[in-house]
Amino acid sequence: MSTKKTNHSKQIVIRHDWTAEEIESLLKLPLIDLLWEAQLVHRTANPGYKVQLASLLSVKTGGCIEDCSYCPQSIHNSSDISGKPELDIKSVVKRAKAAKESGADRFCMGWAWREIKEGAEFEAMLQMVREVRSLGMEACVTAGMLSERQAMKLAEAGLTAYNHNLDTSPEHYKEIITTRTYQDRLETLQRVRSAGITLCCGGIIGMGETISDRASLLKVLSTLNPHPESVPINGLVAVEGTSLESRPPVNPLDIVRMVATARILMPKSRVRLSAGREQLGTEAQILCLQAGADSIFYGDTLLTTGNPDISSDKKLLAEAGVKTKELIQQK
Ligand code: SAM
Ligand code: DTB
Ligand code: SF4
């Protein structure tokens, strides 16, 4: 009997010269072929299908002066709930401990700011970073633009990653945000890199962009050198009161395609299946995991909107048969 040998692995080459045409052709592949290609890359570059659980907490909620049309925290949107007090160090650390106990190993903290403010609030942010790190967790901050000095201070405090998304393509950007430029975002990313902090940078789909906009966003991300260590893929959560409240729901398979393409372009980056999971069924989420998503936000709220609860995520991961750090430790 002759056994036909199938090649289930692939030579991984990390490229920073992807063209928009190449990326658009990947996004448009027959889904079944795109999934196969993404799995080959993922299984070779990141053996073991291990999913990181990241917990997210809004430290400063609402009242943000930027006009991001998707964001419930912008004062330009009637959804904004300004005036919520900022959380103090003690309550943030308490939440981080609880997140660790429930199995998360990354703790992400958000501030609804255009840019980081100096003074007591920044000192508190630094202390939060130190305390999260001392729990043995990765710490991530998302708080808008920052200066070189602030990036250095965050690095000294032990910050693992800074999240600053490009959100959409350079071409579609002006339809979404007018109060800061794409260039401002790229410069923020550069300051984070120069300080030696890893980058968490991705975008949102479902905001009226075309397939070529999606390819263009992925081109900017995948031609950064090095690639962002973590790439969140968000499906728009169309929040009532925001300018994008009436956008039709994102097709779950479009999220699968974005995840798979991001995996192929940036083989070693952590691709995080982020906002919009409540709108995805179990099957679409499992397809995303299969296509190479290797991180999720874990816990029943994102910043201001809902996320699947912990027990349903435990069930999801068990059904998919993927491992988390927690499940590996329990073995
Ligand atoms: N203010 C900081 C900033 O903009 O960099 C940090 C917080 S901001 C809320 C973080 C990211 O959340 C945004 O860049 C955007 O990609 C994502 N986001 C916000 N609202 C969203 C929504 N309704 N649906 C999907 N993603 C959203
Ligand atoms: C990211 O890319 N998505 C997260 C995190 N980084 C900060 C935020 C999603 C926010 C969704 C809307 C909300 O909950 O307010
Ligand atoms: Fe402000 Fe960030 Fe929301 Fe934009 S996304 S309005 S910068 S909190």
Side-chain angles (χ1 to χ4, degrees):
M1 196 177 81
S2 75
T3 32
K4 202 172 151 209
K5 253 198 158 176
T6 322
N7 186 5
H8 284 190
S9 69
K10 191 181 168 77
Q11 198 69 32
I12 296 298
V13 184
I14 306 284
R15 286 178 52 191
H16 301 276
D17 61 352
W18 292 98
T19 67
E21 293 71 31
E22 281 177 296
I23 300 172
E24 196 166 334
S25 331
L26 286 170
L27 282 170
K28 287 181 172 165
L29 274 178
L31 186 58
I32 217 80
D33 296 331
L34 176 60
L35 284 173
W36 179 242
E37 186 67 21
Q39 281 185 76
L40 284 175
V41 171
H42 191 44
R43 282 179 180 273
T44 312
N46 314 292
Y49 271 85
K50 293 185 198 86
V51 174
Q52 184 190 47
L53 304 178
S55 172
L56 183 54
L57 176 68
S58 181
V59 178
K60 162 73 183 78
T61 309
C64 182
I65 59 171
E66 295 277 8
D67 71 352
C68 310
S69 53
Y70 50 77
C71 184
Q73 304 193 67
S74 161
I75 53 168
H76 303 268
N77 287 326
S78 65
S79 50
D80 177 44
I81 1 132
S82 300
K84 250 192 127 188
E86 193 165 328
L87 298 183
D88 62 13
I89 300 170
K90 233 173 115 187
S91 28
V92 170
V93 175
K94 205 169 147 200
R95 295 287 290 269
K97 280 185 181 150
K100 187 180 174 180
E101 271 155 32
S102 68
D105 76 334
R106 181 165 169 122
F107 194 69
C108 310
M109 297 165 276
W111 279 257
W113 284 344
R114 170 180 164 76
E115 63 218 321
I116 293 186
K117 294 181 191 160
E118 280 295 333
E121 287 161 300
F122 183 51
E123 294 307 317
M125 178 190 288
L126 294 173
Q127 189 56 24
M128 289 169 195
V129 170
R130 286 183 208 108
E131 301 229 15
V132 170
R133 296 293 287 141
S134 73
L135 296 174
M137 301 177 90
E138 293 184 4
C140 178
V141 162
T142 183
M145 296 184 282
L146 43 52
S147 66
E148 247 169 68
R149 193 193 86 91
Q150 289 164 338
M152 293 306 293
K153 286 267 173 198
L154 283 164
E156 268 169 38
L159 186 68
T160 314
Y162 195 82
N163 165 252
H164 196 62
N165 289 338
L166 288 167
D167 284 345
T168 190
S169 67
E171 298 78 17
H172 190 57
Y173 187 82
K174 57 188 176 307
E175 311 296 325
I176 305 297
I177 300 143
T178 68
T179 48
R180 74 172 147 213
T181 65
Y182 216 75
Q183 189 55 33
D184 288 334
R185 290 191 186 249
L186 292 168
E187 285 168 18
T188 299
L189 298 177
Q190 192 46 54
R191 282 186 207 111
V192 172
R193 264 277 171 254
S194 304
I197 300 167
T198 70
L199 265 192
C200 173
C201 182
I204 309 175
I205 68 164
M207 302 196 295
E209 73 288 341
T210 61
I211 308 283
S212 72
D213 284 315
R214 292 177 189 168
S216 175
L217 164 66
L218 288 172
K219 178 185 158 153
V220 181
L221 293 170
S222 62
T223 53
L224 291 173
N225 191 357
H227 292 152
E229 284 75 6
S230 133
V231 180
I233 303 293
N234 295 277
L236 174 72
V237 183
V239 180
E240 211 182 311
T242 61
S243 319
L244 297 181
E245 65 178 6
S246 327
R247 290 244 56 103
V250 187
N251 178 346
L253 294 180
D254 285 356
I255 302 213
V256 176
R257 283 181 184 277
M258 273 307 271
V259 165
T261 307
R263 170 54 63 220
I264 295 166
L265 302 175
M266 296 168 278
K268 295 260 185 197
S269 301
R270 220 176 244 147
V271 177
R272 183 168 301 114
L273 180 57
S274 301
R277 282 203 298 124
E278 279 201 317
Q279 284 75 49
L280 297 183
T282 305
E283 298 83 355
Q285 293 188 68
I286 291 179
L287 281 179
C288 288
L289 296 171
Q290 189 176 32
D294 56 359
S295 173
I296 56 170
F297 282 122
Y298 190 60
D300 58 11
T301 34
L302 292 166
L303 292 171
T304 64
T305 65
N307 194 48
D309 61 34
I310 287 184
S311 60
S312 60
D313 273 347
K314 284 196 164 153
K315 189 161 169 268
L316 169 81
L317 298 170
E319 276 182 322
V322 299
K323 295 187 186 71
T324 64
K325 215 171 169 188
E326 181 205 24
L327 294 175
I328 297 162
Q329 278 163 358
Q330 278 173 3
K331 277 201 162 173

